[in-house]
Amino acid sequence: MVTVTTKGSTPGTPDNPWGDTKTNAPSNGVNLGPTQRPRPVFPEPVVPDVHGPARVVAMVNQKGGVGKTTTTINLGAALVEYGLKVLLVDFDPQGALSVGLGINPLQLDLTVYNLLMERGVTAEDVLLETGVEGLDLLPSNIDLSAAEVQLVTEVAREQVLGRVIKPLLPHYDVCLIDCQPSLGLLTINALTCAHGVMVPLECEFFALRGVALLMDTISKVQERLNEDLEIEGLLATMYDARTLHGREVLARVVDAFGDKVFHTVINRTVRFPDATVAGEPITTFDPSSLGANAYRELAREVLSRWPAPATMAR
């Protein structure tokens, strides 16, 4: 197998939708993707006639800086482009998801914290529209850090998040929960109410070290709290095909988890932080960019893995 530089194709265009900087051209003519598996072609999703109830997906990795928030924003925006209604839940006290959508967490009167801890607050009170039609947000700020301690004394403390967002789910097709970089009680709440869990994973050696602990936590939640929880897949992020290290890490992930690894790979690009500064998804900030097309590809792959219809109620 020979590694050659891709010629005559622009990243993100139909002849190179994966945005490869390098690609493999084996003698048997099979077209391989970055994960060294044959590239599938994911169909265009069918726009739903009616919306809801939502499939709930938790974005989880106890390591920070692996692309959880970036994936939550941009996958949500890509799903909206395919006609779905999407609810985003900022479940990280840092409020990065809210910031990435142009909202100042420090100026919010009501957040997910109030929804969790105050009986008189409803999900509709906290819900915010974003700059993307069909994409709504339950925001967060530093107040949420107190909930980790306060929830300890609550009855059925692992199920509080699921209870408070339940009234909203019939109105959406997908609910994406951006979790904090921890396997604490807030993350357990997200896993308990989710249908699936997606694991963004940076293509870097240290990002691999905590995956075994994460999988053990997911397994315990499946056994004790949520037997319907599924692993949606592991998503390779911040991938740079020019580096041997990046390619080796991606190969190890595929060897370890096989088909649980998404075919779609998110390449490293400066356009993601640029979009964050602008407070909007990359799909609207730079619609024709490599990153925007990668998340559209991920949206098609995710929808192809879900039962038909794409959403599922518990």
Side-chain angles (χ1 to χ4, degrees), residues 258-275:
D259 290 340
K260 287 295 184 183
V261 181
F262 287 107
H263 288 274
T264 306
V265 169
I266 308 301
N267 289 269
R268 187 183 296 275
T269 168
V270 297
R271 301 307 278 166
F272 287 128
D274 289 346

Side-chain angles (χ1 to χ4, degrees), residues 280-310:
E280 59 181 301
I282 196 169
T283 52
T284 59
F285 176 76
D286 192 353
S288 62
S289 66
L290 182 153
N293 282 287
Y295 275 107
R296 293 186 185 107
E297 183 80 11
L298 177 63
R300 292 194 296 271
E301 181 172 3
V302 165
L303 291 172
S304 72
R305 293 189 177 203
W306 288 347

Side-chain angles (χ1 to χ4, degrees), residues 33 38 72 152 186:
T72 304
V152 171
L186 293 179

Side-chain angles (χ1 to χ4, degrees), residues 229-242:
L229 181 65
E230 301 175 358
I231 298 177
E232 301 280 354
L234 288 84
L235 174 67
T237 64
M238 305 181 191
Y239 178 64
D240 189 344
R242 297 170 298 180

